[in-house]
């Protein structure tokens, strides 16, 4: 499978020896507000413990948003390989905030109840700072999340530093994690070094997020 260039949209990927189209949404709608270099749109959302989490609670910290879908094989690649959990532990250990977000509508693949989300975290041995539930799609639309996994990095100044794919290899093969260029890691390393993020936006690959009312 070839690499995914930041400026080229991928239309299909091979899964388990068979051709499987990768779902994408042509447009989320006029509510998408996040763009690299601009202040991250404020939001609040319930977490799986029933608390209301506000982005403003994390002012002055680097915040990583990770859109997930527990039935998506592209998400599965990063969890089954241990990649996503390792990244979660690395960056939360450095003081960053990692928020996993589920924006699938009720009845759609990826929708989870709090109990189901907790079971996923236990099964994956995941370690985000928190897990947010967004069944109405408000947060997902703000951040133009179209496919899972979709990643957003917000810097300490509260600006969007990166948004898009987690890496440049749109496959479901676990082994590809080791050879892929990880855009999330690159962005966080550049931020840590006080440098501008070289690749600030890419198109996420994976399973399309099925929004409520879409």
């Amino acid at each position: 499978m070839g690499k995914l260039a930041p400026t080229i949209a991928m239309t299909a990927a091979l899964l388990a020896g068979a051709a499987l189209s990768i779902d994408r949404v042509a447009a989320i709608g006029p509510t998408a507000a996040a763009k690299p270099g601009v202040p991250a749109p404020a939001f609040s959302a319930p977490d799986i413990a029933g608390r209301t989490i506000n982005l403003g609670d994390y002012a002055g910290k680097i915040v990583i948003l990770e859109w997930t879908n527990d039935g998506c094989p592209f998400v599965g690649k990063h969890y089954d390989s241990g990649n996503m959990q390792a990244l979660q532990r690395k960056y939360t250990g450095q003081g960053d905030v990692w928020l996993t977000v589920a924006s699938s509508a009720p009845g759609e693949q990826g929708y989870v109840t709090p109990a189901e989300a907790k079971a996923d975290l236990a099964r994956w041995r995941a370690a985000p700072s928190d897990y947010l539930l967004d069944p109405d799609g408000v947060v997902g639309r703000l951040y133009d999340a179209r496919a899972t996994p979709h990643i957003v990095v917000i810097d300490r100044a509260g600006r969007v530093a990166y948004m898009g794919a987690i890496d440049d290899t749109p496959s479901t093969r676990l082994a590809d994690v080791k050879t892929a260029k990880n855009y999330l890691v690159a962005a966080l390393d550049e931020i840590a070094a006080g440098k501008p993020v070289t690749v600030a936006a890419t198109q996420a690959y994976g399973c399309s997020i099925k929004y409520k009312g879409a």
Side-chain angles (χ1 to χ4, degrees):
M1 183 67 60
K3 298 295 185 181
L4 179 68
T7 58
I8 300 176
M10 184 199 67
T11 59
L14 294 180
L15 279 179
L20 176 71
S21 63
I22 296 180
D23 293 328
R24 289 188 184 275
V25 183
I28 294 296
T31 55
K35 295 180 181 178
V38 305
F43 66 81
S44 62
D47 70 3
I48 57 177
R51 301 168 299 192
T52 298
I53 303 301
N54 298 288
L55 179 61
D57 296 340
Y58 306 113
K61 291 183 174 289
I62 292 173
V63 178
I64 300 132
L65 305 178
E66 169 223 347
W67 268 263
T68 193
N69 173 341
D70 62 356
C72 177
F74 294 90
V75 171
K77 173 182 76 171
H78 289 282
Y79 277 102
D80 293 342
S81 66
N83 181 52
M84 198 73 81
Q85 305 93 314
L87 294 174
Q88 291 165 346
R89 289 186 172 87
K90 175 180 178 179
Y91 292 109
T92 58
Q94 294 177 4
D96 299 339
V97 175
W98 188 300
L99 302 176
T100 299
V101 185
S103 291
S104 298
E108 300 289 354
Q109 183 193 69
Y111 170 78
V112 287
T113 65
E116 290 167 338
K118 291 175 183 177
D120 286 337
L121 292 177
R123 171 169 59 90
W124 287 330
R125 297 183 180 179
S129 304
D130 211 337
Y131 192 128
L132 307 186
L133 302 176
D134 180 41
D136 290 331
V138 175
V139 183
R141 286 183 167 97
L142 277 177
Y143 284 86
D144 203 22
R146 307 185 185 201
T148 54
H150 174 80
I151 299 292
V152 174
V153 176
I154 301 168
D155 66 19
R156 291 186 179 88
R159 294 182 176 274
V160 176
Y162 173 77
M163 58 190 300
I166 188 171
D167 63 29
D168 68 346
T169 305
S171 81
T172 60
R173 294 190 297 268
L174 273 62
D176 288 342
V177 168
K178 295 181 179 180
T179 57
K181 176 181 179 180
N182 192 297
Y183 294 126
L184 168 62
V185 171
L188 291 171
D189 285 351
E190 288 178 325
I191 291 170
K195 299 177 180 179
V197 175
T198 304
V199 178
T202 63
Q203 185 173 348
Y205 64 83
C207 305
S208 67
I209 298 174
K210 304 300 193 297
Y211 282 99
K212 186 176 181 179

